[in-house]
């Protein structure tokens, strides 16, 4: 990445509001997902973390506010939105792998369908990505033969297959047994070490402290506090933040 792009916003949200009936799930949030940095989003259940993440790629259409992708405003049904969706990878709590496809086929699918990459190319790229997440030996397996941690690593490989400029994670380890979380967090840690642009909604405080450049603490649809992990997690200025991390 050329130096002038370092720390520029890959995705910028400006004053995003998203309501569900009377609930303001996201209540006026501005946020920058800075290039080459890891933004961790923490907060109690129901504070709007998932809705915010979904607003960034218009899986939820914001009621108001603006999303910029690589500096260009994104609107419903325009090319900037197609570009954003093709270049921003999402990893969810549920892995959503296709059960009838082999693991490598799951990873190769999007490049083949979206980009028309010829099959042998898509296949060798998928195999390389599976090796990258430590699953080279599971390429031929079906998802049901994998542990939850392995399935989530396959889902990360699938996200990487589109050569994303940013990765958004929504509680990627929350569905996993505790002993399987470490292997997924380790892959995420190594992606961060490569300088990948990442936003991670997580309850893994130790991971956020160790890996995130910025921590955003949300409550009731708002950003309560943000800053370096050492500040927000270990020396929060806000009473709500203090209570959250104390518990
Ligand atoms: N599709 C939806 N329909 C109605 N209410 C929703 C929907 N999605 C989220 N909400 C509400 O919006 C608020 C924020 O939810 P969410 O973004 O899932 O929070 P978090 O991810 O922090 O747990 C909650 O009050 C939740 O019940
Ligand atoms: Mg959520």
């Amino acid at each position: 990445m050329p130096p002038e792009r370092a720390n520029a916003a890959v995705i910028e949200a400006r004053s995003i509001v998203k309501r569900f009936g009377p609930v303001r799930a996201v209540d006026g949030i501005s946020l920058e997902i800075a290039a080459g940095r890891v933004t961790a989003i923490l907060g109690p259940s129901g504070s709007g973390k998932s809705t915010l993440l979904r607003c960034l790629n218009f899986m939820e259409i914001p009621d108001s506010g603006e999303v910029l992708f690589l500096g260009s405003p994104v609107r419903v049904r325009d090319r900037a939105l197609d570009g954003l969706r093709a270049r921003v990878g999402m990893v969810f709590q549920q892995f959503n792998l296709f059960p009838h496809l082999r693991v490598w086929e799951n990873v190769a699918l999007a490049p083949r369908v979206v980009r028309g990459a010829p099959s042998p190319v898509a296949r060798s790229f998928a195999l390389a990505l599976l090796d990258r997440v430590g699953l080279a030996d599971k390429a031929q397996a079906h998802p049901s033969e994998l542990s939850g941690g392995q399935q989530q690593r396959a889902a990360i490989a699938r996200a990487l297959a589109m050569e994303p400029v940013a990765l958004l994670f929504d509680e990627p380890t929350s569905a996993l047994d505790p002993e399987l979380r470490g292997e997924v967090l380790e892959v995420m840690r190594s992606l961060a070490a490569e300088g990948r642009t990442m936003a991670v909604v997580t309850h893994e405080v130790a991971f956020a402290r160790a890996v995130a450049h910025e921590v955003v603490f949300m409550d009731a649809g708002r950003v309560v506090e943000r800053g370096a992990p050492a500040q927000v997690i270990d020396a929060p200025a806000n009473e709500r933040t203090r209570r959250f991390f104390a518990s």
Side-chain angles (χ1 to χ4, degrees):
M1 177 156 313
E4 69 272 17
R5 289 292 302 166
N7 296 340
V10 174
I11 305 175
E12 184 182 348
R14 293 184 180 162
S15 307
I16 298 291
V17 173
K18 179 64 188 179
R19 297 183 204 85
F20 295 108
V23 177
R24 293 170 81 90
V26 175
D27 195 8
I29 290 187
S30 297
L31 186 76
E32 288 194 1
I33 309 297
R37 290 166 69 86
V38 178
T39 305
I41 302 170
L42 288 89
S45 178
S47 58
K49 306 179 298 295
S50 294
T51 305
L52 172 64
L53 217 59
R54 294 162 61 85
C55 281
L56 295 181
N57 75 349
F58 281 50
M59 288 170 73
E60 298 286 359
I61 310 295
D63 293 308
S64 62
E66 200 171 26
V67 175
L68 298 143
F69 177 56
L70 300 172
S72 302
V74 175
R75 295 191 186 81
V76 185
R77 285 189 293 272
D78 74 358
R79 300 219 346 246
L81 178 55
D82 295 341
L84 185 155
R85 285 187 171 153
R87 303 304 308 280
V88 176
M90 295 276 302
V91 177
F92 301 95
Q93 188 173 328
Q94 301 302 332
F95 332 118
N96 299 319
L97 299 168
F98 286 114
H100 60 291
L101 296 180
R102 294 179 191 279
V103 169
W104 79 264
E105 290 170 324
N106 269 278
V107 177
L109 189 65
R112 209 154 51 78
V113 171
V114 177
R115 295 213 190 127
S119 239
V121 174
R123 182 173 190 276
S124 53
F125 189 40
L127 295 177
L129 290 171
L130 287 168
D131 188 39
R132 171 74 187 72
V133 300
L135 288 177
D137 58 332
K138 298 290 181 190
Q140 303 299 331
H142 284 88
S144 62
E145 300 170 71
L146 270 54
S147 72
Q150 290 169 335
Q151 289 189 56
Q152 189 60 299
R153 285 187 280 144
I156 292 171
R158 177 183 56 188
L160 293 172
M162 290 297 286
E163 303 184 284
V165 293
L167 289 165
L168 310 181
F169 296 83
D170 191 357
E171 297 199 30
T173 58
S174 293
L176 300 175
D177 293 336
E179 69 270 20
L180 298 178
R181 290 178 188 160
E183 64 192 58
V184 173
L185 293 173
E186 186 48 44
V187 168
M188 293 170 63
R189 187 191 304 267
S190 72
L191 292 172
E194 284 177 0
R196 297 252 180 195
T197 303
M198 297 162 59
V200 185
V201 171
T202 185
H203 292 292
E204 306 276 355
V205 175
F207 173 83
R209 185 191 277 115
V211 176
H213 299 94
E214 184 181 33
V215 171
V216 174
F217 177 73
M218 286 178 60
D219 189 32
R222 293 172 175 262
V223 172
V224 173
E225 194 163 352
R226 69 177 93 199
Q231 186 245 306
V232 177
I233 297 174
D234 297 314
N238 184 281
E239 173 54 29
R240 182 73 190 89
T241 319
R242 204 172 300 149
R243 264 188 288 134
F244 179 83
F245 287 111
S247 66

